[in-house]
Amino acid sequence: MKIQRIATTPIEGMKPGTSGLRKRVTEFAQGHYLANFVQSVFNAVRPPEGFGGVTLVVGGDGRYFNAEAIQTVIRIAAANGVERLLVGAGGILSTPAASCVIRKHKAFGGLILSASHNPGGPDGDFGIKFNAANGGPAPEKITDAIYAETLAIKEIRTLDTPDIDLNQIGSHRLGDTQVEVIDPVADYVELMRELFDFPALRAKFASGLTFAFDAMHAVTGPYAHAIFERELGAPAGTVRNGTPLPDFGGHHPDPNLVHAKELLDLMMSADAPDLGAASDGDGDRNLIIGRGIFISPSDSLAMLAANAHLAPAYRNGIAGVARSMPTSGAVDRVADKLGVPCYETPTGWKFFGNLLDAGRITICGEESAGTGSNHVREKDGIWAVLLWLSILAARGQSAAEIAKEHWATYGRNYYTRHDYEGVDTSAAQGLMSALEARLRGLVGTTVGGRRVAMADNFSYTDPVDGSVSKNQGLRIVFEDGSRIVYRLSGTGTTGSTLRVYIERYEADPARLAQETQEALADLIATADELAGIRERTGRAQPDVIT
Ligand code: G16
């Protein structure tokens, strides 16, 4: 088959962010934009002996432009000599399922087409990222190499062939490449069956455990129907919004209290089931709400780590935990009690990869609604839900009782994140650099009634390979352990998103049941004053509070 070599020129602005390249669909669909990036990935990761003998996994979250983009990826992969492609039927693979398939089939890596929790549709977002052989997002040295290639690219290799039919499971030949269209759900379900006690969970559902899962018209629908309803016998209707739609039904597939409001309302009502959960566009994030109680992602991480031994996979304990720097310190207290190490990494799942590969940690998570374990190298929404269901089943208590006992044992890290979205980029950068310039001078002074113990721009040295990642967020830590962290998001596509993370630890048993925003009110005011958020951004309120 004749390989087409199409001349092209570099396109600016393709630096991968927190999780791959994310842009508007309109930008991705223009000219050679997508093809330039995909070819740059192949240029960056090509082994010296080429891609012969290499298996690559390809799938996406089914959002608008997924279907066209995946055909482009297949042609470019074939023209670059990849021997075998495993493609999810319908172009679908949730992000954790892609990680599972890469690992199970010992693939060289994979290309995941997703903009995760960002909105979809013709005016929405699209994204693409490369995952390595461990199943995890490419580390910075690879994303830097991909970016360098985007600035040097001269030609795209592709084929002039008709689209592959991805609707049927089966095998196709494309030049020298074998394209295998696989069931996107099967390998993942098998892995979950190994980690959890499905018969025990099935018995709990049979004896009345109630559950609502909102798939938000995103990729987890087919996985959730298969696992919760078919494998575990939860009644039909347990999974809501379970059909993936290219525009997510016009909703924002971000499982937080704003975008999963319907589920929140249900869980706060008299008809609430025992557990409510939701997942995002590509199935890696999760939202957990017990009857009458929202469990924040940071608390969820801590509670999962504390109770993981109740699921078969973690019966013998955990080796260690990790959390991203802005995630609350709740899990640190659990690690301390368990006598295992706790690592603090920059935001981005890719930073957990080395720790997981080295066996230093078993469970990790982030405030941005991601939790996962060493079973794959991505955060995993359905896994988190299965672990919560396992804990409810084993302890025979409600989520609210489990949370209250947890806080009584460890104290409570009151925690909130305030997001200011679509802020003018120069205003956002101005805010960050002005604050950074003042950090040193803040130490030892009193701000908002609290003495500043430490203030810095977080820098991380990976304990496994020694790589250093600088500029990972400005943190101001007070003498009483309270903390304010400022970061600019690396996943947005319009202007800049300023994230402000606020945390205070409370050990007084009489003060563990406060409303979060009230418990943090003085620190929230301090955070605004310290950085001049109002003056610099013109915003009186955050757009999203989680
Ligand atoms: C991605 C990353 C996460 C990160 C999150 C938020 O999540 O995989 O590790 O915590 O973005 O990043 P930021 O604060 O830079 O927007 P996802 O679910 O979008 O892939």
Side-chain angles (χ1 to χ4, degrees), residues 188-224:
Y188 181 80
V189 174
E190 192 184 293
L191 178 60
M192 292 302 118
R193 236 187 254 128
E194 286 165 20
L195 300 178
F196 298 101
D197 187 346
F198 274 23
L201 289 174
R202 207 179 159 83
K204 282 286 169 189
F205 275 112
S207 61
L209 178 71
T210 52
F211 173 47
F213 182 85
D214 188 346
M216 302 188 93
H217 289 302
V219 79
T220 39
Y223 298 85

Side-chain angles (χ1 to χ4, degrees), residues 404-450:
K404 280 180 194 145
E405 278 188 20
H406 187 95
W407 294 328
T409 308
Y410 298 95
R412 181 170 178 184
N413 290 68
Y414 282 103
Y415 182 85
T416 189
R417 184 178 100 186
H418 287 202
D419 291 341
Y420 298 81
E421 295 176 343
V423 173
D424 173 69
T425 296
S426 59
Q429 284 170 350
L431 179 150
M432 293 294 283
S433 47
L435 182 61
E436 185 172 6
R438 289 174 49 212
L439 287 182
R440 234 172 227 251
L442 286 175
V443 179
T445 66
T446 299
V447 184
R450 290 182 164 86

Side-chain angles (χ1 to χ4, degrees), residues 17-20 22 95 114-118 129 137 254-255 280-285 324 326-327 346-352 365-370 378-379 417 419 487-492 497 499 501:
T18 310
S19 185
R22 286 190 196 165
T95 294
S114 166
S116 190
H117 58 289
N118 296 20
K129 67 173 177 174
D254 191 352
D280 70 333
D282 62 334
D284 54 3
R285 295 184 175 209
S324 65
T327 302
T347 295
W349 205 261
K350 59 191 170 202
F351 294 104
F352 295 136
E366 297 183 273
E367 52 66 37
S368 57
E378 288 279 3
K379 54 190 183 275
R417 184 178 100 186
D419 291 341
R487 252 189 89 244
L488 296 184
S489 157
T491 57
T497 295
R499 302 203 196 283
Y501 312 81

Side-chain angles (χ1 to χ4, degrees), residues 32-199:
H32 292 324
Y33 196 94
L34 172 69
N36 260 29
F37 186 76
V38 175
Q39 182 62 57
S40 300
V41 171
F42 284 105
N43 294 347
V45 303
R46 176 176 286 112
E49 62 285 5
F51 291 105
V54 157
T55 297
L56 209 65
V57 174
V58 186
D61 64 10
R63 66 177 56 225
Y64 187 86
F65 195 55
N66 193 88
E68 293 98 304
I70 211 155
Q71 299 288 346
T72 302
V73 171
I74 292 171
R75 288 191 190 98
I76 295 177
N80 278 273
V82 173
E83 181 142 335
R84 182 168 166 248
L85 287 174
L86 300 179
V87 187
I92 292 283
L93 272 177
S94 78
T95 294
S99 185
C100 159
V101 173
I102 293 170
R103 293 169 68 78
K104 177 168 175 182
H105 297 273
K106 305 205 169 6
F108 173 80
L111 280 159
I112 303 179
L113 281 55
S114 166
S116 190
H117 58 289
N118 296 20
D123 300 318
D125 291 344
F126 189 76
I128 183 163
K129 67 173 177 174
F130 177 75
N131 278 32
N134 70 349
E140 276 184 339
K141 66 172 189 297
I142 298 184
T143 55
D144 288 349
I146 295 170
Y147 179 52
E149 290 292 344
T150 69
L151 298 174
I153 188 168
K154 291 197 175 68
E155 67 168 26
I156 299 157
R157 292 184 203 182
T158 188
L159 301 174
D160 183 16
T161 48
D163 284 356
I164 298 263
D165 177 7
L166 297 181
N167 292 317
Q168 303 297 327
I169 289 169
S171 224
H172 305 259
R173 204 72 207 162
L174 194 62
D176 295 333
T177 304
Q178 189 72 21
V179 182
E180 290 173 27
V181 181
I182 60 165
D183 178 341
V185 177
D187 287 333
Y188 181 80
V189 174
E190 192 184 293
L191 178 60
M192 292 302 118
R193 236 187 254 128
E194 286 165 20
L195 300 178
F196 298 101
D197 187 346
F198 274 23

Side-chain angles (χ1 to χ4, degrees), residues 34 67 119 260 333 343-344 369 380 410 467 536:
L34 172 69
R333 295 172 188 279
Y343 297 87
E344 185 177 41
D380 188 344
Y410 298 95
S467 57
R536 288 184 175 271

